[in-house]
Every structure is written in structure tokens, then in C-alpha cells.
């Protein structure tokens, strides 16, 4: 039996990153009991999903990484998808490199995963080129996410904005509502559906039911981040009931 230590950099108001990722990896432990997962978090202040607060939170990432380095994690995940995507195309590479440098400066050699980069790699792992997305953001930030995906070669065929600016309110959204929300999207031509393009908006209980009903792969920022974490650890990306991306 081996413990895998996962460091997480999360917004101070985020409740879901530390809920959905552990739930998925606990479910994996039920089918792969030799691999166990331990979580360590560092927080960066952010209460409202505004451009100003997102930039301020990004500026705290290296401090948070240095704190996590002391725990010698096996992988570090930074999770605020829109904070990265709002900075412009390709910024996840810049953010991941800065966090990596901060870890190395403190003697930690963990690979770094961002939820923004993980969503792109998760879409690629499914072989998808066209997606529909649901976000909790105001429409301008949803457009920033769509532009980011488009720049990376992923066509966004439709998008739904729930327009909830308060980050704690996003965490309190009922994931069951997504089973109706997705029906407002046009999936014509879509290869996959991003049910939650935000690690703060809960979606895990609806991933598999919506996938079963929609007939195309369904993923979220959280399932994509879990897929990338497992891949970086050299483990099979398999979590029961979490959609095709995590079907192993």
C-alpha cells in the first residue's frame, strides 16, 4: 500500500476542490486499495469572481507553492480555472512554470497540474474537437473561457452562463440542477460536454447520469484535474461513475 500526497492551491472561498477530488480518489481506493491519497491545501485569497480578484489571487500562487513544498507532495494541483484562462491564451503554461519554479526553489520536485491545463488535456484525451460548456460565470468570463479553448484548437459550439459572481454562492449551487441545465445547450456537432468549466461549481453527482442521457462524453474541470493528477502519478486514470474520461 502506498500513500500519494497531493498538494492543492485553492482560492480561499473554494469549497468544492477539497470535496470532489477527494471523493473521486476515495472511490478509486475502493477498487484499487493499494493506492491511497492524502491531501494538503494552501489557500489564496479570493471571494468574488472579478478580474481584479482573479489577478490578485494569481499573484499569491508562488507563496502558496512554497508553503506546500515543505510537505514534499508527490503532485501539486492549482485550481481556479477562470483565474488562469482570464489572463489570456496559453497562460496555464506560464502559471504552471511559475509554480514549478517556486517548488524547485524549496527543494520539492513535484509535477504541477493546473485545472485550466487539465481541462485541455482531458478534452484531448477524449479525442474531442468540439465541445459545449456550462459555467457559473458572468457572460464576459464565460467568453474568456470559450476564447481560451478556441485558441487551443477546441471549438465551443455552445455555452451556458449561470451568472453567479459570488464564489461561495457558486459552491452552494445544486449539482442536480445540471441535469436540466445541459438541455438548454445545442449539442449539434459536439464531441463532448463540459458540465462544469469551474472547479468551484459542484457537478460530480451529475457527470455519469448526464453522460448516459446525452450520449456523448461528459467531463468537468474537476474530473479533468483528477485525470491529470492520476496520470502525473503514473496511475491508471480510473474512477467509477465519473464519466468516460475516468473510465480507465
Amino acid at each position: 500500500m502506498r500513500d500519494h500526497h497531493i498538494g492543492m492551491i485553492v482560492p480561499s472561498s473554494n469549497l468544492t476542490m477539497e470535496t470532489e477530488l477527494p471523493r473521486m480518489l476515495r472511490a478509486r481506493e475502493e477498487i484499487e486499495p493499494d493506492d491511497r491519497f492524502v491531501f494538503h491545501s494552501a489557500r489564496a485569497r479570493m471571494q468574488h469572481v472579478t478580474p481584479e480578484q482573479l489577478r490578485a489571487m494569481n499573484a499569491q500562487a508562488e507563496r502558496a507553492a512554497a508553503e506546500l513544498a515543505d510537505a514534499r507532495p508527490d503532485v501539486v494541483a492549482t485550481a481556479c480555472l477562470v483565474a488562469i484562462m482570464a489572463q489570456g491564451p496559453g497562460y496555464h503554461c506560464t502559471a504552471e512554470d511559475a509554480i514549478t519554479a517556486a517548488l524547485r526553489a524549496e527543494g520539492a520536485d513535484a509535477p504541477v497540474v493546473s485545472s485550466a491545463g487539465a481541462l485541455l488535456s482531458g478534452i484531448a484525451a477524449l479525442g474531442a474537437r468540439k465541445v459545449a460548456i456550462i459555467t457559473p460565470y458572468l457572460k464576459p468570463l464565460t467568453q474568456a473561457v470559450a476564447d481560451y479553448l478556441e485558441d487551443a484548437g477546441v471549438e465551443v459550439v455552445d455555452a451556458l452562463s449561470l451568472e453567479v459572481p459570488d464564489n461561495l454562492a457558486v459552491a452552494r449551487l445544486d449539482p442536480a440542477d445540471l441535469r436540466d441545465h445541459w438541455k438548454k445547450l445545442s449539442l449539434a456537432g459536439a464531441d463532448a460536454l463540459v458540465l462544469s468549466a469551474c472547479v468551484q461549481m459542484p457537478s460530480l453527482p451529475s457527470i455519469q447520469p448526464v453522460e448516459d442521457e446525452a450520449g456523448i462524453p461528459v467531463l468537468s474541470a474537476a474530473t479533468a484535474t483528477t485525470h491529470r493528477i492520476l496520470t502525473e502519478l503514473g496511475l491508471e486514470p480510473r474512477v467509477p461513475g465519473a464519466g468516460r474520461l475516468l473510465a480507465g
Side-chain angles (χ1 to χ4, degrees):
M1 185 177 293
R2 180 181 175 187
D3 285 342
H4 302 279
H5 291 261
I6 299 171
M8 299 190 292
I9 300 174
V10 298
S12 57
S13 54
N14 187 289
L15 306 181
T16 309
M17 172 78 168
E18 294 156 310
T19 302
E20 291 198 338
L21 268 69
R23 281 179 182 166
M24 281 185 270
L25 294 176
R26 296 284 180 262
R28 190 184 189 280
E29 289 175 357
E30 294 297 319
I31 59 172
E32 297 285 352
D34 287 344
D35 291 305
R36 313 292 288 185
F37 301 92
V38 184
F39 300 89
H40 313 280
S41 296
R43 312 192 84 75
R45 289 300 303 279
M46 191 272 280
Q47 296 169 304
H48 300 285
V49 188
T50 64
E52 296 76 18
Q53 289 204 18
L54 294 175
R55 283 194 297 269
M57 186 184 65
N58 285 337
Q60 301 170 62
E62 292 173 53
R63 182 269 305 161
E67 293 174 1
L68 285 173
D70 294 342
R72 292 297 185 263
D74 297 306
V75 63
V76 169
T78 179
C80 184
L81 179 140
V82 73
I84 287 177
M85 289 193 175
Q87 308 313 310
Y91 189 77
H92 68 281
C93 296
T94 301
E96 289 172 10
D97 286 348
I99 292 169
T100 297
L103 290 169
R104 300 297 179 271
E106 299 297 331
D109 60 1
V112 174
V113 172
S114 70
S115 55
L119 183 61
L120 290 174
S121 63
I123 291 170
L126 290 168
R129 295 180 178 272
K130 299 181 180 182
V131 301
I133 64 173
I134 300 176
T135 85
Y137 313 130
L138 299 178
K139 288 180 181 179
L141 284 176
T142 298
Q143 187 61 51
V145 171
D147 291 345
Y148 200 99
L149 296 176
E150 297 264 3
D151 181 80
V154 179
E155 181 180 343
V156 178
V157 300
D158 202 5
L160 175 64
S161 301
L162 300 184
E163 300 196 88
V164 183
D166 181 271
N167 207 41
L168 274 178
V170 171
R172 296 185 180 115
L173 293 172
D174 187 346
D177 291 343
L178 291 167
R179 302 186 193 188
D180 294 319
H181 288 326
W182 77 270
K183 297 174 183 176
K184 302 170 187 174
L185 291 164
S186 171
L187 299 184
D191 303 312
L193 167 60
V194 181
L195 198 62
S196 175
C198 173
V199 290
Q200 174 76 324
M201 185 167 75
S203 63
L204 184 57
S206 293
I207 295 286
Q208 194 66 58
V210 172
E211 181 171 288
D212 293 342
E213 189 172 356
I216 60 174
V218 174
L219 72 161
S220 70
T223 63
T225 301
T226 299
H227 179 273
R228 182 77 175 275
I229 286 171
L230 290 169
T231 301
E232 292 290 348
L233 291 172
L235 303 175
E236 183 182 23
R238 187 158 69 105
V239 174
R244 197 176 308 178
L245 180 63
L246 289 169

